[in-house]
Amino acid sequence: MSESDFGLLVGLSGLLVLLLELPITAAVARRRPEYVLAGGNLITTGGLALTGLMSGLTPLAATVVIWTIGEMINSSISQAYLGSLAPPRLVGRYQGLHGVAYTTGTGAGPLIGGALYAIRPWALWILVAVAGLLSAQLSLPRRWRPTRRRPKPPRRGSCRSW
């Protein structure tokens, strides 16, 4: 891929954000955030994992469309949802930690991914898919089963009905 092809793909992502960010934000704002985040993670994962199977500008552009839409879905709700989970006095810390984690991943991802790609290119795309699926699963709401409390049996000889 040439530098100009890469620039076109990055530019496509930017154009999609410019055109679709506000409509996507309006559409997902009415949905349950856990499912929005899980869906956004799945879409992003699909686009990124498919990148490893594509060659040529047009198929790669299709993957850019997919993962950019997934990122817009996530980014439109993630900070607000995080703020709603945090205790009121710790909202800034939660959002700051989220920013640190995101920035760390943005910096470390290319280093780790590049090294893995140099050794085993297919392993990178498998890792991307597994990490994305795990991320989607972790975004879903937890389903806690309430423990059923059995009524205590009456003690022997404690009949109070007389």
Side-chain angles (χ1 to χ4, degrees), residues 109-126:
L111 296 173
I112 296 167
L116 186 57
Y117 187 81
I119 298 168
R120 298 265 191 263
W122 56 268
L124 170 66
W125 305 114
I126 291 173

Side-chain angles (χ1 to χ4, degrees), residues 6 31 40 45 80 147:
F6 183 78
R31 307 281 191 271
T45 297
T147 57

Side-chain angles (χ1 to χ4, degrees), residues 33 55 66 73 80 105 113 158:
S55 62
I66 295 168
I73 290 169
S158 65

Side-chain angles (χ1 to χ4, degrees), residues 1 6 9 43-56 59-68 117 121 124-125 128-129:
M1 173 183 298
F6 183 78
L9 293 173
I43 294 168
T44 303
T45 297
L48 291 174
L50 286 172
T51 300
L53 302 174
M54 302 300 159
S55 62
L60 285 170
T63 66
V64 168
V65 170
I66 295 168
W67 59 255
T68 299
Y117 187 81
L124 170 66
W125 305 114
V128 166

Side-chain angles (χ1 to χ4, degrees), residues 79-96:
Q79 287 292 335
Y81 180 60
L82 180 67
S84 75
L85 293 176
R89 63 184 180 79
L90 297 176
V91 170
R93 288 185 187 178
Y94 274 55
Q95 290 179 334

